[in-house]
Amino acid sequence: MRLKYNFIGLILACGLGLSSCNDSFLDRNPKDQLSDASFWKNAEDAQKFATGIYLYLIEPENHTIMTDCYTDNAIPVHVTAEQGQLSAGTATSSNPHFLQLWKNAYQCIRRCLVFYEHIGDVPMDEKEKAQLTAEVQFLEAFSYANILKYMGGASLLDHPLELNEKLPSRSSEEETYNHIVGLLDKAAASLPDIRSNSDHGKPSAGACYALKARVAFYAHKYDVAEAAARKVMGMNVYGLYDNYGDLFQPVAELCNEIIFDREYLENPKNSNEGSYIGQFFAPVMMGGWEALSPTQDLIDSYPCKDGKSIRESPFYNPEDPFADRDPRLGFSVLWNGSQIAGKTFNLNNMGDGSHTRTGYSMKKYINPDNDGINNYDWTNFIYIRYAEVLLTFAEARNENLSAPDTEVYDAVNQIRQRPSVGLPPLPSGLSKDQMREAIRLERRLEFAFEGMHLFDTRSYKTTEKDVTKPVYGINAKGESIFIETRKFNANRDYLWAIPLEEVDLAQGALKQNPGWD
Protein backbone atom coordinates (compact mmCIF):
# COMPACT_ATOMS: atom_id res chain seq x y z
CA MET A 1 0.00 0.00 0.00
CA ARG A 2 2.68 2.52 0.98
CA LEU A 3 4.29 2.47 -2.47
CA LYS A 4 1.06 3.00 -4.34
CA TYR A 5 -1.69 5.10 -2.91
CA ASN A 6 -0.24 8.58 -3.05
CA PHE A 7 0.99 8.09 -6.61
CA ILE A 8 -2.33 6.74 -7.83
CA GLY A 9 -4.16 9.40 -5.86
CA LEU A 10 -2.07 12.09 -7.53
CA ILE A 11 -3.06 10.78 -10.95
CA LEU A 12 -6.71 10.67 -9.94
CA ALA A 13 -6.71 14.11 -8.40
CA CYS A 14 -4.68 15.98 -10.99
CA GLY A 15 -4.80 13.95 -14.17
CA LEU A 16 -8.51 13.15 -14.19
CA GLY A 17 -9.84 16.43 -12.90
CA LEU A 18 -11.16 15.44 -9.49
CA SER A 19 -9.82 18.54 -7.80
CA SER A 20 -7.76 21.63 -8.34
CA CYS A 21 -6.28 24.52 -6.44
CA ASN A 22 -9.49 26.42 -7.11
CA ASP A 23 -11.97 23.95 -5.62
CA SER A 24 -14.78 25.73 -3.84
CA PHE A 25 -16.15 24.68 -0.48
CA LEU A 26 -17.20 21.03 -0.27
CA ASP A 27 -15.68 20.61 -3.73
CA ARG A 28 -19.04 21.12 -5.48
CA ASN A 29 -18.60 19.93 -9.05
CA PRO A 30 -21.41 18.43 -11.15
CA LYS A 31 -18.93 17.23 -13.79
CA ASP A 32 -16.62 14.90 -11.86
CA GLN A 33 -15.02 12.81 -14.58
CA LEU A 34 -14.68 9.87 -12.22
CA SER A 35 -18.38 10.02 -11.42
CA ASP A 36 -19.31 9.08 -14.98
CA ALA A 37 -20.67 5.63 -15.60
CA SER A 38 -17.93 5.26 -18.17
CA PHE A 39 -15.36 5.03 -15.40
CA TRP A 40 -17.05 2.72 -12.88
CA LYS A 41 -16.66 -0.45 -14.97
CA ASN A 42 -14.77 -2.88 -12.74
CA ALA A 43 -13.11 -3.53 -9.40
CA GLU A 44 -9.90 -1.83 -10.47
CA ASP A 45 -11.76 1.42 -11.18
CA ALA A 46 -13.44 1.32 -7.77
CA GLN A 47 -10.16 0.59 -5.99
CA LYS A 48 -8.42 3.45 -7.79
CA PHE A 49 -11.14 5.88 -6.83
CA ALA A 50 -11.08 4.76 -3.18
CA THR A 51 -7.30 5.03 -3.16
CA GLY A 52 -7.49 8.65 -4.30
CA ILE A 53 -9.50 9.55 -1.19
CA TYR A 54 -6.47 9.02 1.02
CA LEU A 55 -4.91 12.20 -0.36
CA TYR A 56 -7.41 14.18 1.70
CA LEU A 57 -6.47 12.84 5.13
CA ILE A 58 -5.77 15.62 7.61
CA GLU A 59 -2.42 17.34 7.13
CA PRO A 60 0.21 16.07 9.60
CA GLU A 61 2.17 19.35 9.73
CA ASN A 62 0.00 22.42 10.33
CA HIS A 63 -3.14 20.69 11.53
CA THR A 64 -1.70 17.92 13.71
CA ILE A 65 1.87 18.35 14.98
CA MET A 66 1.63 22.14 15.12
CA THR A 67 -1.38 21.99 17.44
CA ASP A 68 0.99 21.32 20.34
CA CYS A 69 1.91 25.01 19.95
CA TYR A 70 -1.60 25.88 21.15
CA THR A 71 -0.96 24.11 24.46
CA ASP A 72 1.63 24.21 27.24
CA ASN A 73 3.81 21.78 25.24
CA ALA A 74 5.27 24.25 22.74
CA ILE A 75 5.14 27.63 21.04
CA PRO A 76 5.64 28.44 17.34
CA VAL A 77 8.83 30.05 16.06
CA HIS A 78 7.12 32.11 13.37
CA VAL A 79 5.02 34.37 15.56
CA THR A 80 3.61 36.55 12.77
CA ALA A 81 2.29 33.58 10.77
CA GLU A 82 -1.13 31.97 11.17
CA GLN A 83 0.11 29.57 13.84
CA GLY A 84 1.50 32.51 15.81
CA GLN A 85 -1.96 34.06 15.95
CA LEU A 86 -3.51 30.77 17.07
CA SER A 87 -0.91 30.33 19.79
CA ALA A 88 -1.22 33.91 21.04
CA GLY A 89 -5.01 33.76 21.18
CA THR A 90 -5.42 36.54 18.61
CA ALA A 91 -6.70 34.54 15.63
CA THR A 92 -9.87 35.54 13.78
CA SER A 93 -12.28 33.34 11.85
CA SER A 94 -10.45 34.25 8.64
CA ASN A 95 -7.30 32.42 9.79
CA PRO A 96 -6.25 30.19 6.84
CA HIS A 97 -5.78 27.14 9.04
CA PHE A 98 -9.51 26.98 9.71
CA LEU A 99 -10.37 27.05 6.01
CA GLN A 100 -7.69 24.52 5.08
CA LEU A 101 -8.84 22.06 7.73
CA TRP A 102 -12.56 22.41 6.95
CA LYS A 103 -12.13 22.27 3.19
CA ASN A 104 -9.82 19.26 3.27
CA ALA A 105 -12.23 17.30 5.47
CA TYR A 106 -15.17 17.96 3.19
CA GLN A 107 -13.18 17.16 0.07
CA CYS A 108 -12.59 13.76 1.64
CA ILE A 109 -16.25 13.39 2.64
CA ARG A 110 -17.51 14.36 -0.80
CA ARG A 111 -15.38 11.72 -2.47
CA CYS A 112 -16.70 9.14 -0.04
CA LEU A 113 -20.25 10.07 -1.05
CA VAL A 114 -19.40 9.87 -4.76
CA PHE A 115 -18.01 6.39 -4.10
CA TYR A 116 -21.25 5.26 -2.40
CA GLU A 117 -23.30 6.48 -5.35
CA HIS A 118 -21.46 4.23 -7.82
CA ILE A 119 -20.05 1.23 -5.98
CA GLY A 120 -23.35 -0.65 -6.02
CA ASP A 121 -23.29 -0.91 -9.81
CA VAL A 122 -19.67 -2.08 -10.11
CA PRO A 123 -19.38 -5.77 -11.04
CA MET A 124 -16.96 -7.22 -8.49
CA ASP A 125 -16.77 -9.85 -5.77
CA GLU A 126 -19.33 -8.93 -3.11
CA LYS A 127 -16.99 -9.54 -0.19
CA GLU A 128 -14.34 -7.38 -1.82
CA LYS A 129 -16.96 -4.69 -2.49
CA ALA A 130 -18.11 -4.76 1.13
CA GLN A 131 -14.53 -4.40 2.38
CA LEU A 132 -13.77 -1.54 0.02
CA THR A 133 -16.96 0.22 1.07
CA ALA A 134 -15.97 -0.26 4.71
CA GLU A 135 -12.60 1.39 4.03
CA VAL A 136 -14.37 4.42 2.61
CA GLN A 137 -16.79 4.51 5.55
CA PHE A 138 -13.81 4.68 7.88
CA LEU A 139 -12.31 7.56 5.88
CA GLU A 140 -15.62 9.43 6.05
CA ALA A 141 -15.81 8.85 9.81
CA PHE A 142 -12.19 9.94 10.24
CA SER A 143 -12.90 13.24 8.47
CA TYR A 144 -16.03 13.94 10.49
CA ALA A 145 -14.14 13.06 13.68
CA ASN A 146 -11.58 15.73 12.84
CA ILE A 147 -14.28 18.36 12.26
CA LEU A 148 -15.91 17.36 15.54
CA LYS A 149 -12.79 17.67 17.67
CA TYR A 150 -11.62 20.94 16.11
CA MET A 151 -14.89 22.76 15.45
CA GLY A 152 -17.80 20.88 17.02
CA GLY A 153 -20.92 19.79 15.18
CA ALA A 154 -20.56 19.23 11.43
CA SER A 155 -22.83 19.63 8.43
CA LEU A 156 -23.73 15.99 7.81
CA LEU A 157 -24.09 15.18 4.11
CA ASP A 158 -25.99 12.29 2.56
CA HIS A 159 -25.02 13.03 -1.05
CA PRO A 160 -22.27 14.95 -2.86
CA LEU A 161 -23.38 18.56 -3.21
CA GLU A 162 -23.79 19.90 -6.69
CA LEU A 163 -22.75 23.34 -7.85
CA ASN A 164 -24.70 26.07 -6.01
CA GLU A 165 -26.56 23.51 -3.87
CA LYS A 166 -27.34 24.92 -0.45
CA LEU A 167 -25.25 23.61 2.41
CA PRO A 168 -27.27 21.96 5.19
CA SER A 169 -27.08 23.48 8.64
CA ARG A 170 -24.69 22.05 11.20
CA SER A 171 -25.79 19.10 13.27
CA SER A 172 -25.19 19.03 17.00
CA GLU A 173 -22.05 17.52 18.47
CA GLU A 174 -24.13 14.58 19.70
CA GLU A 175 -25.62 13.98 16.24
CA THR A 176 -22.17 14.22 14.66
CA TYR A 177 -20.77 11.79 17.23
CA ASN A 178 -23.59 9.31 16.53
CA HIS A 179 -22.98 9.54 12.79
CA ILE A 180 -19.27 8.82 13.26
CA VAL A 181 -19.89 5.86 15.55
CA GLY A 182 -22.51 4.46 13.18
CA LEU A 183 -20.06 4.57 10.28
CA LEU A 184 -17.32 2.93 12.34
CA ASP A 185 -19.55 0.13 13.61
CA LYS A 186 -20.70 -0.65 10.06
CA ALA A 187 -17.18 -0.52 8.68
CA ALA A 188 -15.65 -2.73 11.37
CA ALA A 189 -17.93 -5.63 10.46
CA SER A 190 -16.39 -5.93 6.97
CA LEU A 191 -12.73 -5.29 7.76
CA PRO A 192 -9.94 -7.55 9.07
CA ASP A 193 -8.71 -6.96 12.61
CA ILE A 194 -5.30 -5.88 11.31
CA ARG A 195 -3.84 -5.31 7.86
CA SER A 196 -1.13 -7.40 6.26
CA ASN A 197 2.11 -5.69 5.28
CA SER A 198 0.98 -5.48 1.66
CA ASP A 199 -2.15 -3.56 2.69
CA HIS A 200 -0.54 -1.53 5.45
CA GLY A 201 -2.07 1.94 5.61
CA LYS A 202 -5.62 0.82 4.87
CA PRO A 203 -8.23 0.90 7.64
CA SER A 204 -8.87 -2.21 9.71
CA ALA A 205 -11.46 -3.22 12.28
CA GLY A 206 -8.82 -2.32 14.86
CA ALA A 207 -8.67 1.20 13.42
CA CYS A 208 -12.46 1.48 13.55
CA TYR A 209 -12.67 0.55 17.22
CA ALA A 210 -9.61 2.64 18.14
CA LEU A 211 -11.15 5.73 16.50
CA LYS A 212 -14.46 4.94 18.17
CA ALA A 213 -12.67 4.81 21.51
CA ARG A 214 -11.08 8.19 20.79
CA VAL A 215 -14.27 10.02 19.82
CA ALA A 216 -16.16 8.46 22.73
CA PHE A 217 -13.38 9.43 25.13
CA TYR A 218 -13.50 13.06 23.98
CA ALA A 219 -17.29 12.98 24.27
CA HIS A 220 -16.92 11.77 27.88
CA LYS A 221 -18.76 8.55 27.02
CA TYR A 222 -16.33 6.52 29.06
CA ASP A 223 -18.29 3.28 28.98
CA VAL A 224 -18.27 3.31 25.17
CA ALA A 225 -14.59 4.31 25.08
CA GLU A 226 -13.60 1.53 27.46
CA ALA A 227 -15.55 -1.10 25.53
CA ALA A 228 -14.16 -0.01 22.14
CA ALA A 229 -10.59 0.06 23.43
CA ARG A 230 -11.06 -3.34 25.04
CA LYS A 231 -12.24 -4.65 21.67
CA VAL A 232 -8.91 -3.64 20.10
CA MET A 233 -6.92 -5.08 22.98
CA GLY A 234 -8.87 -8.33 22.78
CA MET A 235 -7.90 -8.83 19.14
CA ASN A 236 -4.41 -9.77 20.39
CA VAL A 237 -2.78 -8.59 17.17
CA TYR A 238 -1.49 -5.16 18.26
CA GLY A 239 1.39 -4.40 20.59
CA LEU A 240 3.98 -1.83 21.61
CA TYR A 241 7.12 -1.41 19.53
CA ASP A 242 10.20 -1.89 21.69
CA ASN A 243 12.14 1.20 20.59
CA TYR A 244 10.19 4.41 21.22
CA GLY A 245 12.60 6.59 19.25
CA ASP A 246 12.59 4.35 16.18
CA LEU A 247 8.79 4.13 16.23
CA PHE A 248 8.69 7.50 14.42
CA GLN A 249 11.24 6.53 11.77
CA PRO A 250 10.92 4.46 8.56
CA VAL A 251 12.42 1.37 10.22
CA ALA A 252 9.22 0.81 12.23
CA GLU A 253 6.62 1.63 9.61
CA LEU A 254 5.22 -1.91 9.43
CA CYS A 255 5.17 -2.59 13.17
CA ASN A 256 1.96 -3.68 14.90
CA GLU A 257 1.79 -0.64 17.17
CA ILE A 258 0.67 1.43 14.18
CA ILE A 259 -3.09 1.10 13.72
CA PHE A 260 -3.67 3.80 11.10
CA ASP A 261 -1.20 6.13 9.44
CA ARG A 262 -0.55 8.33 6.44
CA GLU A 263 1.84 6.60 4.09
CA TYR A 264 4.47 8.06 1.77
CA LEU A 265 6.74 6.89 -1.01
CA GLU A 266 10.37 6.04 -0.29
CA ASN A 267 11.66 8.52 -2.87
CA PRO A 268 9.04 11.26 -2.89
CA LYS A 269 9.05 13.81 -5.69
CA ASN A 270 6.25 16.08 -4.49
CA SER A 271 3.95 16.77 -1.54
CA ASN A 272 1.50 14.05 -2.60
CA GLU A 273 4.22 11.42 -2.40
CA GLY A 274 6.02 12.80 0.67
CA SER A 275 5.46 15.08 3.65
CA TYR A 276 6.72 18.47 4.79
CA ILE A 277 7.41 17.25 8.33
CA GLY A 278 11.20 17.61 7.95
CA GLN A 279 10.88 20.95 6.21
CA PHE A 280 8.62 22.34 8.92
CA PHE A 281 10.18 20.93 12.07
CA ALA A 282 13.78 19.79 11.49
CA PRO A 283 16.40 22.10 13.00
CA VAL A 284 17.81 24.79 10.74
CA MET A 285 21.19 23.04 10.76
CA MET A 286 19.50 20.19 8.87
CA GLY A 287 17.76 22.52 6.42
CA GLY A 288 14.41 22.70 8.22
CA TRP A 289 12.41 25.63 9.54
CA GLU A 290 12.65 24.60 13.23
CA ALA A 291 9.03 25.77 13.50
CA LEU A 292 8.11 24.34 16.92
CA SER A 293 9.80 25.24 20.21
CA PRO A 294 9.05 22.94 23.17
CA THR A 295 8.46 24.74 26.45
CA GLN A 296 10.38 24.37 29.68
CA ASP A 297 7.09 23.30 31.23
CA LEU A 298 7.01 20.24 28.98
CA ILE A 299 10.69 19.47 29.60
CA ASP A 300 10.20 19.66 33.35
CA SER A 301 7.19 17.33 33.17
CA TYR A 302 9.32 14.34 32.15
CA PRO A 303 10.24 12.40 35.30
CA CYS A 304 13.60 10.96 36.19
CA LYS A 305 14.42 7.31 35.55
CA ASP A 306 12.99 6.33 38.94
CA GLY A 307 9.59 7.61 37.82
CA LYS A 308 9.66 10.53 40.26
CA SER A 309 9.34 14.16 39.24
CA ILE A 310 12.43 16.37 39.02
CA ARG A 311 11.26 18.00 42.27
CA GLU A 312 11.28 14.66 44.10
CA SER A 313 13.92 12.46 42.51
CA PRO A 314 17.46 12.17 43.91
CA PHE A 315 18.61 11.51 40.34
CA TYR A 316 17.80 15.03 39.19
CA ASN A 317 20.88 17.23 38.88
CA PRO A 318 20.20 20.88 37.91
CA GLU A 319 23.79 21.09 36.66
CA ASP A 320 23.10 18.20 34.26
CA PRO A 321 19.33 18.40 33.92
CA PHE A 322 18.90 15.94 31.03
CA ALA A 323 20.74 13.04 32.63
CA ASP A 324 18.82 10.13 34.15
CA ARG A 325 15.48 11.33 32.79
CA ASP A 326 12.56 9.51 31.19
CA PRO A 327 14.14 8.33 27.89
CA ARG A 328 11.17 9.69 25.93
CA LEU A 329 12.54 13.19 26.57
CA GLY A 330 15.70 12.45 24.61
CA PHE A 331 13.75 10.69 21.89
CA SER A 332 11.38 13.66 21.46
CA VAL A 333 13.36 16.86 22.10
CA LEU A 334 16.63 18.47 21.05
CA TRP A 335 18.51 20.71 23.50
CA ASN A 336 21.82 22.54 23.40
CA GLY A 337 24.48 19.90 22.65
CA SER A 338 22.07 17.21 21.39
CA GLN A 339 23.16 15.15 18.41
CA ILE A 340 21.13 14.42 15.30
CA ALA A 341 22.24 13.47 11.77
CA GLY A 342 25.85 13.67 12.98
CA LYS A 343 25.40 17.32 13.93
CA THR A 344 25.22 19.18 17.22
CA PHE A 345 22.18 21.29 18.00
CA ASN A 346 23.18 24.70 19.34
CA LEU A 347 21.58 27.97 20.40
CA ASN A 348 23.84 30.37 18.51
CA ASN A 349 20.90 32.04 16.77
CA MET A 350 18.21 31.46 19.37
CA GLY A 351 15.28 33.86 19.18
CA ASP A 352 16.17 35.47 15.85
CA GLY A 353 12.79 34.62 14.29
CA SER A 354 14.09 31.60 12.40
CA HIS A 355 15.47 29.44 15.23
CA THR A 356 14.17 28.09 18.51
CA ARG A 357 12.65 30.59 20.90
CA THR A 358 12.91 28.39 24.00
CA GLY A 359 16.27 26.66 23.58
CA TYR A 360 14.60 23.40 22.53
CA SER A 361 13.44 21.90 19.24
CA MET A 362 11.49 18.86 18.10
CA LYS A 363 13.32 15.58 17.52
CA LYS A 364 10.41 13.15 17.18
CA TYR A 365 9.67 12.37 13.51
CA ILE A 366 12.84 14.13 12.30
CA ASN A 367 14.52 11.70 9.89
CA PRO A 368 18.33 11.95 10.18
CA ASP A 369 18.65 10.34 6.74
CA ASN A 370 16.99 13.42 5.23
CA ASP A 371 19.73 15.79 6.36
CA GLY A 372 19.69 18.86 4.14
CA ILE A 373 15.96 18.35 3.49
CA ASN A 374 16.76 17.86 -0.18
CA ASN A 375 13.73 15.62 -0.44
CA TYR A 376 10.21 15.52 0.85
CA ASP A 377 10.07 13.29 3.91
CA TRP A 378 9.16 9.64 3.53
CA THR A 379 8.50 8.75 7.18
CA ASN A 380 4.86 7.71 7.54
CA PHE A 381 2.81 9.80 9.96
CA ILE A 382 0.93 7.83 12.63
CA TYR A 383 -2.65 8.96 13.25
CA ILE A 384 -3.61 6.15 15.64
CA ARG A 385 -1.35 3.76 17.54
CA TYR A 386 -1.82 1.06 20.13
CA ALA A 387 -0.36 3.13 22.97
CA GLU A 388 -3.35 5.46 22.63
CA VAL A 389 -5.73 2.52 22.89
CA LEU A 390 -4.08 1.39 26.13
CA LEU A 391 -4.14 4.83 27.74
CA THR A 392 -7.68 5.55 26.57
CA PHE A 393 -8.76 2.23 28.04
CA ALA A 394 -7.00 3.01 31.31
CA GLU A 395 -8.42 6.51 31.65
CA ALA A 396 -11.95 5.56 30.60
CA ARG A 397 -12.00 2.56 32.94
CA ASN A 398 -10.64 4.66 35.78
CA GLU A 399 -13.52 7.10 35.23
CA ASN A 400 -16.00 4.21 35.24
CA LEU A 401 -14.75 2.81 38.56
CA SER A 402 -14.63 4.18 42.10
CA ALA A 403 -10.92 3.33 42.27
CA PRO A 404 -8.41 1.97 39.73
CA ASP A 405 -8.12 -1.80 39.43
CA THR A 406 -5.37 -4.04 38.09
CA GLU A 407 -6.54 -3.61 34.49
CA VAL A 408 -6.04 0.15 34.73
CA TYR A 409 -2.57 -0.27 36.24
CA ASP A 410 -1.56 -2.89 33.68
CA ALA A 411 -2.54 -0.74 30.70
CA VAL A 412 -0.55 2.26 31.96
CA ASN A 413 2.43 0.22 33.06
CA GLN A 414 2.75 -1.38 29.63
CA ILE A 415 3.46 2.11 28.30
CA ARG A 416 5.90 2.99 31.08
CA GLN A 417 7.76 -0.30 30.81
CA ARG A 418 8.28 -0.34 27.06
CA PRO A 419 11.86 -1.73 26.81
CA SER A 420 13.33 1.54 25.55
CA VAL A 421 11.57 3.55 28.27
CA GLY A 422 11.92 1.34 31.30
CA LEU A 423 10.20 3.43 33.95
CA PRO A 424 9.06 1.67 37.12
CA PRO A 425 5.38 0.79 37.41
CA LEU A 426 3.01 3.27 38.98
CA PRO A 427 2.88 3.07 42.78
CA SER A 428 0.06 0.90 44.11
CA GLY A 429 -2.84 2.28 46.09
CA LEU A 430 -3.51 5.37 43.98
CA SER A 431 -6.92 6.95 44.37
CA LYS A 432 -9.15 7.58 41.37
CA ASP A 433 -8.07 11.24 41.30
CA GLN A 434 -4.38 10.36 41.62
CA MET A 435 -4.65 7.80 38.83
CA ARG A 436 -6.43 10.33 36.63
CA GLU A 437 -3.56 12.77 37.03
CA ALA A 438 -0.98 10.03 36.40
CA ILE A 439 -2.69 8.96 33.17
CA ARG A 440 -3.05 12.54 31.96
CA LEU A 441 0.66 13.10 32.46
CA GLU A 442 1.45 9.82 30.73
CA ARG A 443 -0.62 10.86 27.73
CA ARG A 444 1.11 14.24 27.58
CA LEU A 445 4.59 12.71 27.50
CA GLU A 446 3.82 9.67 25.37
CA PHE A 447 2.07 11.69 22.64
CA ALA A 448 4.11 14.90 22.61
CA PHE A 449 4.09 16.45 19.09
CA GLU A 450 1.56 13.93 17.78
CA GLY A 451 -1.44 16.26 17.73
CA MET A 452 -3.12 14.80 20.82
CA HIS A 453 -2.47 17.18 23.70
CA LEU A 454 -4.67 20.06 22.52
CA PHE A 455 -7.71 17.80 22.36
CA ASP A 456 -6.89 16.06 25.62
CA THR A 457 -6.80 19.41 27.41
CA ARG A 458 -9.97 20.57 25.67
CA SER A 459 -11.65 17.41 26.95
CA TYR A 460 -10.36 18.08 30.46
CA LYS A 461 -11.26 21.80 30.16
CA THR A 462 -7.73 22.70 31.27
CA THR A 463 -6.56 24.42 28.08
CA GLU A 464 -7.12 27.90 29.51
CA LYS A 465 -5.03 27.15 32.60
CA ASP A 466 -2.35 25.43 30.55
CA VAL A 467 -2.00 28.07 27.83
CA THR A 468 -2.00 31.11 30.08
CA LYS A 469 0.93 29.90 32.19
CA PRO A 470 4.08 31.97 31.59
CA VAL A 471 6.27 30.34 28.94
CA TYR A 472 9.90 29.75 29.88
CA GLY A 473 12.92 28.37 28.09
CA ILE A 474 16.65 28.01 28.62
CA ASN A 475 19.62 29.84 27.10
CA ALA A 476 23.05 28.55 26.08
CA LYS A 477 24.35 29.14 29.61
CA GLY A 478 21.65 26.90 31.04
CA GLU A 479 19.81 29.84 32.57
CA SER A 480 16.03 30.00 32.74
CA ILE A 481 14.55 32.72 30.53
CA PHE A 482 11.03 34.12 30.31
CA ILE A 483 9.60 34.00 26.78
CA GLU A 484 5.98 35.21 26.85
CA THR A 485 2.47 34.94 28.21
CA ARG A 486 -0.45 34.05 26.00
CA LYS A 487 -4.17 34.75 25.91
CA PHE A 488 -7.03 32.26 25.91
CA ASN A 489 -10.70 33.18 25.68
CA ALA A 490 -12.54 30.40 27.50
CA ASN A 491 -15.83 31.52 25.93
CA ARG A 492 -14.40 31.02 22.46
CA ASP A 493 -11.17 29.08 22.16
CA TYR A 494 -12.28 25.59 23.17
CA LEU A 495 -13.46 25.30 19.56
CA TRP A 496 -11.92 26.65 16.39
CA ALA A 497 -13.99 28.95 14.21
CA ILE A 498 -16.02 27.84 11.24
CA PRO A 499 -14.11 29.56 8.39
CA LEU A 500 -15.49 33.05 7.79
CA GLU A 501 -15.49 32.47 4.04
CA GLU A 502 -17.73 29.43 4.41
CA VAL A 503 -20.10 31.15 6.83
CA ASP A 504 -20.54 33.93 4.27
CA LEU A 505 -21.04 31.50 1.37
CA ALA A 506 -23.63 29.51 3.31
CA GLN A 507 -25.91 32.57 3.58
CA GLY A 508 -27.08 31.81 7.09
CA ALA A 509 -27.04 28.01 6.95
CA LEU A 510 -23.77 27.73 8.89
CA LYS A 511 -23.93 28.94 12.46
CA GLN A 512 -20.61 30.28 13.74
CA ASN A 513 -19.11 28.94 16.97
CA PRO A 514 -19.60 31.17 20.04
CA GLY A 515 -17.29 34.15 20.40
CA TRP A 516 -15.90 34.15 16.87
CA ASP A 517 -16.51 37.12 14.58
Side-chain angles (χ1 to χ4, degrees):
M1 181 68 172
R2 68 176 295 272
L3 295 178
K4 294 180 180 178
Y5 81 68
N6 282 292
F7 176 68
I8 294 173
L10 178 62
I11 293 174
L12 289 174
C14 300
L16 294 178
L18 249 181
S19 68
S20 73
C21 295
N22 297 317
D23 280 351
S24 61
F25 166 68
L26 294 190
D27 196 25
R28 297 181 182 90
N29 185 352
K31 298 180 180 178
D32 270 339
Q33 292 178 11
L34 294 188
S35 299
D36 294 343
S38 61
F39 175 81
W40 297 87
K41 291 295 188 183
N42 51 47
E44 183 181 2
D45 288 348
Q47 289 163 350
K48 285 181 178 178
F49 187 92
T51 295
I53 300 173
Y54 288 80
L55 275 177
Y56 299 93
L57 294 173
I58 188 170
E59 180 189 319
E61 301 88 359
N62 273 327
H63 304 147
T64 311
I65 296 171
M66 189 66 79
T67 62
D68 267 35
C69 290
Y70 318 138
T71 74
D72 49 353
N73 276 1
I75 56 174
V77 165
H78 306 107
V79 295
T80 60
E82 302 94 304
Q83 61 267 27
Q85 297 163 14
L86 285 164
S87 179
T90 60
T92 67
S93 58
S94 59
N95 189 290
H97 284 214
F98 301 155
L99 180 60
Q100 293 160 6
L101 180 78
W102 178 270
K103 183 175 178 179
N104 210 54
Y106 276 106
Q107 286 175 327
C108 184
I109 291 164
R110 185 181 193 281
R111 282 157 175 76
C112 294
L113 298 173
V114 169
F115 175 91
Y116 302 146
E117 283 192 339
H118 294 278
I119 188 61
D121 296 328
V122 176
M124 59 187 294
D125 177 80
E126 290 302 316
K127 184 177 180 181
E128 182 182 356
K129 182 184 293 188
Q131 181 166 301
L132 192 61
T133 301
E135 291 176 24
V136 175
Q137 288 169 335
F138 175 88
L139 297 176
E140 182 188 356
F142 188 73
S143 292
Y144 276 123
N146 285 322
I147 295 172
L148 177 63
K149 73 179 183 178
Y150 282 87
M151 296 171 174
S155 294
L156 300 177
L157 306 183
D158 59 8
H159 67 281
L161 297 187
E162 301 295 347
L163 191 66
N164 298 322
E165 183 176 357
K166 185 178 179 180
L167 177 71
S169 61
R170 296 171 65 194
S171 296
S172 68
E173 292 190 6
E174 182 71 12
E175 290 166 333
T176 304
Y177 165 85
N178 288 333
H179 184 67
I180 294 165
V181 168
L183 285 167
L184 294 172
D185 284 342
K186 285 190 292 185
S190 297
L191 292 171
D193 288 351
I194 192 171
R195 289 292 187 166
S196 64
N197 286 355
S198 61
D199 273 343
H200 200 269
K202 292 182 178 180
S204 61
C208 290
Y209 290 118
L211 182 56
K212 181 178 179 178
R214 177 189 288 179
V215 295
F217 175 74
Y218 286 147
H220 301 161
K221 299 179 186 295
Y222 297 120
D223 55 338
V224 178
E226 179 187 344
R230 186 186 293 278
K231 192 91 171 178
V232 181
M233 296 159 64
M235 292 174 177
N236 296 316
V237 293
Y238 296 102
L240 297 176
Y241 189 69
D242 283 354
N243 190 307
Y244 182 85
D246 284 350
L247 177 61
F248 310 99
Q249 298 295 325
V251 66
E253 63 188 15
L254 296 178
C255 76
N256 70 341
E257 180 164 351
I258 298 170
I259 297 178
F260 185 63
D261 64 352
R262 181 162 189 155
E263 309 232 326
Y264 298 106
L265 294 178
E266 288 184 355
N267 297 295
K269 299 178 181 63
N270 54 55
S271 59
N272 289 305
E273 297 180 358
S275 82
Y276 285 112
I277 292 174
Q279 183 68 75
F280 275 44
F281 301 110
V284 173
M285 68 184 188
M286 285 182 63
W289 294 339
E290 207 166 302
L292 179 152
S293 295
T295 63
Q296 191 65 49
D297 190 85
L298 174 63
I299 305 306
D300 290 348
S301 295
Y302 286 90
C304 292
K305 65 181 183 180
D306 59 359
K308 296 180 179 179
S309 74
I310 62 172
R311 296 175 298 278
E312 303 169 312
S313 175
F315 289 102
Y316 182 68
N317 177 5
E319 300 302 316
D320 190 9
F322 308 111
D324 296 322
R325 300 288 293 277
D326 180 338
R328 289 174 295 187
L329 173 58
F331 289 135
S332 303
V333 176
L334 294 169
W335 54 79
N336 194 35
S338 292
Q339 298 287 313
I340 187 170
K343 299 179 178 180
T344 302
F345 182 71
N346 65 69
L347 308 183
N348 293 345
N349 298 292
M350 178 178 170
D352 67 354
S354 299
H355 293 76
T356 177
R357 296 169 62 200
T358 62
Y360 303 103
S361 195
M362 180 175 128
K363 185 178 182 183
K364 182 183 282 187
Y365 274 114
I366 305 306
N367 183 353
D369 291 334
N370 199 15
D371 186 22
I373 315 299
N374 297 315
N375 242 327
Y376 295 89
D377 257 316
W378 56 94
T379 304
N380 297 341
F381 182 79
I382 305 168
Y383 290 121
I384 306 174
R385 58 187 178 95
Y386 187 60
E388 180 191 348
V389 172
L390 290 174
L391 289 179
T392 296
F393 172 82
E395 187 160 7
R397 183 164 178 79
N398 187 59
E399 294 300 329
N400 289 330
L401 299 173
S402 58
D405 64 2
T406 55
E407 285 192 294
V408 175
Y409 274 94
D410 180 64
V412 181
N413 287 335
Q414 285 185 58
I415 304 293
R416 294 170 63 86
Q417 297 184 296
R418 187 193 300 261
S420 57
V421 175
L423 293 179
L426 290 174
S428 60
L430 295 180
S431 68
K432 178 174 182 172
D433 289 345
Q434 289 171 325
M435 178 60 79
R436 180 188 298 121
E437 292 307 307
I439 297 172
R440 289 183 179 185
L441 175 60
E442 204 65 39
R443 288 179 68 97
R444 182 184 185 186
L445 306 182
E446 178 71 17
F447 304 124
F449 319 135
E450 296 181 46
M452 299 282 290
H453 190 50
L454 174 62
F455 305 102
D456 284 358
T457 64
R458 282 184 176 186
S459 174
Y460 308 146
K461 293 297 181 184
T462 62
T463 316
E464 179 183 15
K465 175 178 67 68
D466 295 338
V467 167
T468 55
K469 290 183 290 190
V471 177
Y472 289 91
I474 190 170
N475 64 21
K477 297 178 181 179
E479 300 166 334
S480 176
I481 54 172
F482 169 76
I483 308 297
E484 66 178 5
T485 55
R486 296 178 287 177
K487 299 177 182 178
F488 186 90
N489 182 347
N491 297 318
R492 185 192 77 160
D493 293 338
Y494 277 103
L495 290 174
W496 276 7
I498 305 302
L500 178 61
E501 176 182 324
E502 305 310 331
V503 173
D504 291 343
L505 286 173
Q507 299 179 331
L510 272 181
K511 184 179 179 182
Q512 183 59 276
N513 282 328
W516 291 96
D517 52 4

